[in-house]
Amino acid sequence: MTTITMTTSSSPPRQRKLLLAVDAPSLLHRNHHARAHTRLADRSGRPAWALHGMLRQIIESIDSFAPDAVIFGLDDRAASLRRDFYPDYKAGRAEKDDQLVDQLDRAGSLLDALGLATLTPPGLEADDVNASAATWAEENDWNCVIITSDRDAFAHISDHTSILRLIDGGINGSPLLTPSRLRIMYGVAAENYLEYAALRGDASDNLPGVTGIGEKSASALLSHMGSMQAAWADIEHNNGDALLAAFDSWAEETGARRIGASLLKRLTADGARERFEFNVRIMSGRTDLDLGLTPDIPGTPGLLPLDIERVERVVGHLNMEATTALALRVLTGDPASIGR
């Protein structure tokens, strides 16, 4: 695809080329729960509502963003390095429905059959692919849009990378999160989101936060100290005097309650720093994965357009004529598909 300036209701102007990184398991989970009532089956009679919903949203995203390359991250469902390190990782989540498991297992082969690029990193997750995609985009001077419903990906937001966070309402009803929009939502700079999340914890992954530190206090702490590296250094070398002074000054200027002493007490409690650093380790995405993208070689996986016959055969197997027509128009660039 050619590099052009693009302005749509869902995306900012751009001059760089664009990589679309898709968190496939996240989309499959959302679509399984949203579409299970349809009982849609493919032509072989197997459940296909989650696969169809995921693919439909992907096609709509490609139509909206006009990316130059697309990469799909998948979870290694057989092994987990994070669970090896922390056996209680994601403990407490409900058991997956067998029909969802079936569609999760088939997603990679479906996308590969289309000629799209997928990556299932051994022992890792789709979020690691997202992290590596954001890094790849910055290193190659591309833009990146990550499509996910998982807020863990917010840690990858930068001047190069935005997050389309899927919520109710689908692609067109979902927010595109940039550094400025993230700051409005959470009161933290994009580069501090990982530290913010580590302080707060993540119940969905069974990761408790630092005791006594919630979203508001985590945001305030990072806003006043700039980073947790600065906060820990102040505590270690200066008994937290700079932290106390910053919060006392803020309280005097705004009339807010003085919370510096209580924050300092919580940060210096036994195990507080260890909990923070443990969470950072678990939450950090791998940034060094080989995505296998070769944008200088036309026709390689991940690049658009796709082969017409493959799209018609693979999408057609999902047994939704309207989606097949949309896929042919968007994914192949075939003029004859317009209006089908």
Side-chain angles (χ1 to χ4, degrees):
M1 290 189 176
T2 56
T3 305
I4 59 174
T5 299
M6 179 183 70
T7 306
T8 72
S9 60
S10 60
S11 55
R14 67 179 173 95
Q15 291 289 346
R16 302 184 186 110
K17 288 187 175 183
L18 177 65
L19 171 64
L20 203 63
V22 182
D23 182 345
S26 176
L27 269 65
L28 285 163
H29 277 83
R30 283 192 66 84
N31 280 286
H32 170 70
H33 296 295
R35 298 170 183 258
H37 67 281
T38 68
R39 314 313 294 176
L40 176 69
D42 63 22
R43 288 179 177 171
S44 64
R46 298 178 72 177
W49 53 84
L51 290 168
H52 171 259
M54 174 194 71
L55 193 57
R56 181 85 189 193
Q57 289 182 326
I58 289 165
I59 297 167
E60 290 172 353
S61 299
I62 291 172
D63 196 24
S64 176
F65 288 101
D68 298 275
V70 187
I71 180 77
F72 294 84
L74 295 161
D75 297 341
D76 183 347
R77 294 176 33 74
S80 171
L81 295 177
R82 289 180 176 88
R83 190 169 293 111
D84 290 344
F85 177 70
Y86 174 45
D88 289 332
Y89 180 59
K90 297 186 178 181
R93 291 191 178 187
E95 198 74 22
K96 292 183 177 67
D97 183 276
D98 288 344
Q99 293 171 321
L100 171 59
V101 171
D102 178 69
Q103 293 175 83
L104 285 167
D105 288 341
R106 291 155 54 203
S109 59
L110 170 73
L111 296 167
D112 288 338
L114 275 171
L116 294 165
T118 65
L119 180 59
T120 307
L124 297 173
E125 305 170 15
D127 194 52
D128 295 293
V129 181
N130 293 339
S132 290
T135 300
W136 185 94
E138 185 166 359
E139 291 176 346
N140 290 274
D141 197 29
W142 281 43
N143 283 338
C144 179
V145 171
I146 297 172
I147 301 178
T148 183
S149 60
D150 190 344
R151 63 180 178 173
D152 288 349
F154 294 177
H156 314 318
I157 293 175
S158 71
D159 290 337
H160 281 260
T161 298
S162 303
I163 306 292
L164 184 70
R165 192 191 184 196
L166 290 183
I167 57 175
D168 294 340
I171 295 297
N172 294 327
S174 297
L176 185 70
L177 302 181
T178 61
S180 60
R181 291 177 182 175
L182 184 72
R183 185 183 284 276
I184 291 170
M185 289 175 61
Y186 291 98
V188 297
E191 59 268 23
N192 291 141
Y193 184 82
L194 176 61
E195 293 185 323
Y196 167 81
L199 286 167
R200 178 202 61 202
D202 188 342
S204 69
D205 287 343
N206 197 33
L207 291 170
V210 175
T211 301
I213 304 290
E215 292 192 352
K216 290 183 179 180
S217 52
S219 173
L221 184 59
L222 289 164
S223 176
H224 290 298
M225 297 304 295
S227 70
M228 284 309 298
Q229 181 179 1
W232 296 126
D234 177 51
I235 291 170
E236 184 175 352
H237 301 295
N238 201 31
N239 297 317
D241 287 350
L243 186 154
L244 290 172
F247 276 94
D248 285 348
S249 176
W250 171 67
E252 289 176 6
E253 291 175 2
T254 64
R257 183 169 58 91
R258 293 178 181 269
I259 61 173
S262 62
L263 278 177
L264 181 60
K265 182 178 180 180
R266 290 163 186 165
L267 291 174
T268 54
D270 288 346
R273 185 166 184 175
E274 290 77 9
R275 166 51 58 186
F276 169 80
E277 292 175 349
F278 182 90
N279 285 352
V280 168
R281 176 170 178 176
I282 292 286
M283 292 175 172
S284 294
R286 283 280 297 274
T287 61
D288 59 348
L289 300 178
D290 182 1
L291 303 182
L293 294 175
T294 52
D296 54 332
I297 304 177
T300 55
L303 303 186
L304 300 171
L306 301 180
D307 179 74
I308 294 172
E309 291 185 2
R310 292 178 76 166
V311 170
E312 190 160 29
R313 172 173 49 82
V314 175
V315 181
H317 186 70
L318 295 179
N319 211 21
M320 287 293 289
E321 186 175 336
T323 299
T324 302
L326 180 64
L328 286 167
R329 176 178 68 80
V330 173
L331 301 181
T332 71
D334 177 25
S337 299
I338 298 175
R340 288 183 60 153

